[in-house]
Amino acid sequence: MRRLFFIHLAIHQAGHACVLHTHMPYASALCCVERFELAMCHQNSLRFADDIAYDPAFNGLVLDNTEGDRLVSVMGDKRVLMHKHHGVIVCGASVAEAFDDLYYLERAAEVQVIAMSTGSPLCTISKEIGEQFRRDMESDGGKARWAQLHYDARLRELARDDWRKHFAQDKRIMHPYEDRVMFPAAH
């Protein structure tokens, strides 16, 4: 666990409030192919246009501050780092923003990996459309507002699931054909 400290400490010291470092399957899969990049081939990808740093060096286990400092240098002013042979790091001004970026990065990577599996070349979106997408996204209250709405919805979902789990333990309402509890649809 100390290895994580070296990476996170350096990134936090660079001024990021929240640092999420994961090995989610689709984003990590993109880190394991020769041309490891998130292609601008889907609307979710456009959220990250010109905001991803790519680190082609995998130096094994992180055992001291040197690697954390190197990763900060590679990231520069980008909020996402794709680390070859490893995984991704997503930074945000809040937990909500970092979570939202991580969620949509994995969705974008999933679409790309599935598209790549067809064997057909990826069809990328023009830089002009990508720039317009970013302007439109900011004009609607910005990414921070969207991220907070998404994060709050996920927290409500977790709270509801916890309630349902607790309620299910009471075994009050049983499904007539299975040994499981039925719940009314959420409104």
Side-chain angles (χ1 to χ4, degrees):
M1 289 306 252
R2 190 173 165 111
R3 295 182 312 272
L4 299 175
F5 173 78
F6 293 125
I7 294 172
H8 286 249
L9 175 65
I11 296 171
H12 280 295
Q13 286 178 333
H16 296 284
C18 182
V19 180
L20 302 178
H21 174 174
T22 71
H23 307 113
M24 296 172 79
Y26 292 101
S28 294
L30 290 182
C31 293
C32 295
V33 296
E34 189 63 35
R35 187 176 175 195
F36 77 113
E37 70 175 5
L38 183 68
M40 297 299 116
C41 63
H42 186 264
Q43 72 176 11
N44 285 337
S45 306
L46 295 177
R47 296 168 59 101
F48 305 99
D50 299 321
D51 211 7
I52 300 177
Y54 296 93
D55 180 17
F58 176 68
N59 297 318
L61 291 178
V62 178
L63 301 175
D64 59 32
N65 290 333
T66 307
E67 184 68 359
D69 293 339
R70 189 188 71 77
L71 292 173
V72 167
S73 176
V74 171
M75 284 187 79
D77 64 348
K78 309 294 187 194
R79 68 183 199 268
V80 176
L81 174 72
M82 293 185 74
H83 189 185
K84 186 111 177 185
H85 305 295
H86 192 88
V88 299
I89 296 173
V90 176
C91 301
S94 67
V95 172
E97 286 185 46
F99 169 80
D100 190 62
D101 278 344
L102 184 62
Y103 178 87
Y104 283 105
L105 178 66
E106 182 65 5
R107 298 291 71 75
E110 179 181 18
V111 168
Q112 182 174 332
V113 167
I114 292 169
M116 290 167 59
S117 74
T118 68
S120 293
L122 293 174
C123 181
T124 58
I125 300 168
S126 74
K127 189 166 182 73
E128 295 78 25
I129 296 293
E131 290 169 354
Q132 184 61 49
F133 180 88
R134 295 285 292 247
R135 285 191 299 272
D136 291 345
M137 196 165 93
E138 288 303 319
S139 72
D140 186 30
K143 192 177 80 61
R145 184 177 79 82
W146 291 7
Q148 192 62 55
L149 291 170
H150 181 207
Y151 187 70
D152 290 345
R154 288 300 183 145
L155 289 177
R156 286 191 305 274
E157 182 178 42
L158 287 171
R160 184 181 64 239
D161 288 348
D162 285 347
W163 175 83
R164 287 181 177 182
K165 182 178 177 183
H166 174 74
F167 185 74
Q169 291 171 353
D170 289 344
K171 303 283 186 199
R172 293 183 193 172
I173 303 174
M174 298 301 294
H175 188 280
Y177 304 110
E178 299 177 29
D179 187 28
R180 67 181 176 88
V181 177
M182 291 176 41
F183 296 103
H187 298 292

